[in-house]
Amino acid sequence: MLRAFAAYYAPHRRLFLLDFGSAVLVGLLSLGFPVAVKFYVDRLLPSGDWGLVLLAALGLLAVYLVNTGLMAVVTYWGHVLGIAIETEMRRKAFDHLQRLSHRFFDGQKTGHLVGRLTKDLEEIGEVAHHGPEDVFVAVMTFFGALALMVWVHPQLAMIAACIAPLVVWLVVGYGGRLTANWEAQFDRVGAFNARIEETVGGARVVRAFANEEHERRLFAADNERYRRAKLDAYRLMASTISINYLGMRLLQVVILVAGAWFVSAGSLTVGGFVGFLLLIDVFYRPLEKVSNVLESYPKGIAGFRRYRQFLQTEPDIADRPGALALGRAAGAVAFEGASFAYDAGRPVIGELTLRVAPGETIAFVGPSGAGKTTLLALVPRFYDVSGGAVTLDGHDVRDLTLASLRRNIGVVSQDVFLFGGTLRENVAYGRLEASEAEIVEAVRRARLGGLVESLPDGLDTVVGERGVRLSGGQKQRVAIARIFLKNPPVLILDEATSALDVETEAEIQASLEALSQGRTTLIIAHRLATVRNAHRIVVLTAEGVREEGGHHDLVARGGLYARMQAAQSLASGQVAAE
């Protein structure tokens, strides 16, 4: 773990050397001060040469000024170093997040992922700044002070050295417990971040069911678990700081008594005694330093462990070595004995074989849970088949680069996601380099022109988080406009018109039919009226393909499709009558 952490310093060698070197000089100068005091008391004061005394005092003041400058360098540039490493880690974590597949996100909560890219990395940045210099300077000043204490008076040095190991052992032991505690705290933060995210995202559902009190109870439980974890941390910190303080004061009292005895015996000068007392402070300062940073070190260590675990999560969907970068596809899609299961032993799709010619429109219908959405998710490799293969223009989609595969496929799903920016930005997401004229044309073809004209800022109107300022039908049309702009050879429409009223649905259906000309179109629909004109209709059930054919042919067979058609016609007739 330390080797992995140290690798992040490599691009910032100069900054690290500046910070580290300045911190070392601060430590060395702190060692020199007690020796200077000993010389000042034992030599300069008895001499009575006030010119030399004042000169020495000025020299000491100059050292303090240099030390002040060095401390400013350590404080500012050290944090610059920490922020640089934190920024690089956050970039790397976000890049890794973009590589992870649908299966990873299926088992994650947003709050936990946000915590890993924010709170965890802030703590790591602090350790990146303080870590190496604090450890090295602490060890250097500890042993340097011990050596000088031996030089001043070996017997007193031995007394001090006997007490220190006990305090070190206690401080390190509590530090390990704090690391485990902070890992638990990060989990607690992730839990109530997730709770907040869900409550904000589902605010309308919460209020529609009048479940505000229920949400308060759930959040209160998460908040209480976090409070307890924090209290445990502060209890450990209080114990560590108290033990460290008591050890320091105990050592000072022992040295005062023992030093006074040695002075009276004549084996220790007054200046040596004063210098020794100052060295005790320098000798013990590393232990106090460890105690003081116990709040930040365990956070950083725990955060870096979680960060490494996250980076070690391998995406189950990735480019194979030597994957082909496909140009614009003709649009031939085939399922060759394709099977899929989310969990072992629980197949969703079983050895399905189906071929779709370029430019053909295929509609998939059937009861909920038959695997229609999952089947079409295999084409852009949102998931990989468990067995068999899915091909595009004769290429196994697993042999194509993900970028080139997905450039050739446009997806409009029932659950539309819009970003919190402007309407223009949301439409342009279909092709980021699109011109203004192309965006306007996509808006027109998606029948969004009337909406744009009615908005005060037109295309520059902010739609709000998840498009909250737009109706369901308007959001669906924005998603369709993206596909018009992307202009892919393969279209996947998963209930693309489900949120539209009958009149708007007819308009969009006409646009989609125009768009599908010359393109391969795979449609999932529950409203059978929207797929009458499909070249083929595939009736999918949990057992596989039940029926396949054109609309009129399937109705004439009198099978499952005919029964579904009759049921929907009856329901439509009843609604019309009402």
Side-chain angles (χ1 to χ4, degrees), residues 535-548:
H535 296 112
R536 276 186 291 161
I537 299 172
V538 176
V539 182
L540 203 62
T541 68
E543 289 74 35
V545 177
R546 175 73 69 86
E547 297 174 324
E548 182 180 346

Side-chain angles (χ1 to χ4, degrees), residues 522-557:
L522 308 176
I523 305 173
I524 297 173
H526 284 109
R527 296 186 200 174
L528 302 185
T530 64
V531 295
R532 286 172 176 266
N533 298 328
H535 296 112
R536 276 186 291 161
I537 299 172
V538 176
V539 182
L540 203 62
T541 68
E543 289 74 35
V545 177
R546 175 73 69 86
E547 297 174 324
E548 182 180 346
H551 169 74
H552 296 292
D553 177 45
L554 291 176
V555 170
R557 289 185 196 177

Side-chain angles (χ1 to χ4, degrees), residues 177 206 290 325 400 556:
R177 292 170 63 183
V206 172
V290 171
L400 303 175

